[in-house]
């Protein structure tokens, strides 16, 4: 499944918003650190601080605030899950992204359970860094249903169905409501992202997720109307749809 570009995400970070972002990068590989530094500078993010291991990162977080963290999903001087838990005790609102050359492994998904808002696949590029930070900052958060589901593939298929329902509703109402025209690109971006996430983290890989997603949508279409109605009702509770109302530094 091809990588979604930041222009397809339906979300954006303005230059002013980028300038307000401060990123702590925890990366043990010097070449990857240099690459991340170049990417963040080119993208216009406000500031970035680089360290080579999790323990050093924890010490920095204790001394100064950051809006975002990009941290290695592999153990360095402490396990990444222990680091993330500690980081969130310092600031529960910090937006953390786990970086990994194998984001499909269960370890990365476990970091999402703990509180990471996204992931960054290595090797990195300007486009992948921008997309990862954009979706972690502006995209929909992982729901507890997804994170705690016993059937991960079905949960991601349900997420895709939910975002599709939002996009379809906004498209249908876009002729009459300015809010629907505004929200439609966002919902389409969330739909693309939900499929991308499902393909990355599904049990059995991308091909298995595609098969499970098709089965889920077929069952949803063939099931009783009340099933789809219940899904839509849950969506409206989660997020009201239009029409329901009348420089860089381095260590």
């Amino acid at each position: 499944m091809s990588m979604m570009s930041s222009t397809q995400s339906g979300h954006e970070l303005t230059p002013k918003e980028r300038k307000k972002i401060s990123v702590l990068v925890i990366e043990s590989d010097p070449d990857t650190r240099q690459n991340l530094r170049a990417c963040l500078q080119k993208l216009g993010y406000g500031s970035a601080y680089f360290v080579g291991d999790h323990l050093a990162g924890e010490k920095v977080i204790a001394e100064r605030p950051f809006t975002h963290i990009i941290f290695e999903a592999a153990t360095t001087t402490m396990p990444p899950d222990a680091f993330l838990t500690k980081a969130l005790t310092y600031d529960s609102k910090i937006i953390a992204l786990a970086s990994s050359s194998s984001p499909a492994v269960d370890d990365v998904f476990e970091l999402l359970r703990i509180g990471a808002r996204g992931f960054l696949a290595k090797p990195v590029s300007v486009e992948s860094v921008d997309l990862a930070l954009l979706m972690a900052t502006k995209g929909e958060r992982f729901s507890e249903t997804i994170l705690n589901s016993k059937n991960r593939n079905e949960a991601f298929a349900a997420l895709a169905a939910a975002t599709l329902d939002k996009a379809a509703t906004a498209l249908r109402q876009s002729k009459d409501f300015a809010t629907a025209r505004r929200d439609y690109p966002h919902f389409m971006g969330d739909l693309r992202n939900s499929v991308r996430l499902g393909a990355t983290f599904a049990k059995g890989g991308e091909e298995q997720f595609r098969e499970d997603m098709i089965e889920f949508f077929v069952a949803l279409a063939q099931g009783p109307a009340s099933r789809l109605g219940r899904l839509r009702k849950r969506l409206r509770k989660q997020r009201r749809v239009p029409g329901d109302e009348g420089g860089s530094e381095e260590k």
Side-chain angles (χ1 to χ4, degrees), residues 53-71:
D53 63 78
H54 295 90
L55 186 58
E58 182 195 340
K59 291 179 180 178
V60 174
I61 295 174
E63 296 171 356
R64 55 180 291 186
F66 292 91
T67 62
H68 294 65
I69 305 173
I70 298 175
F71 69 101

Side-chain angles (χ1 to χ4, degrees), residues 104 106 109 113 145-161 194-195 197-217 227:
D106 286 343
F109 196 79
R113 291 183 194 271
T145 301
I146 297 292
L147 295 176
N148 298 318
S149 175
K150 294 180 179 180
N151 187 330
R152 189 186 303 175
N153 292 15
E154 182 174 299
F156 275 113
L159 176 63
S194 67
V195 174
L197 293 171
T200 300
F201 292 113
K203 290 287 187 181
E206 180 180 329
E207 194 65 34
Q208 184 61 52
F209 173 64
R210 185 181 291 112
E211 293 179 8
D212 291 344
M213 186 166 60
I214 291 172
E215 289 183 6
F216 183 87
F217 273 81
R227 182 179 180 185

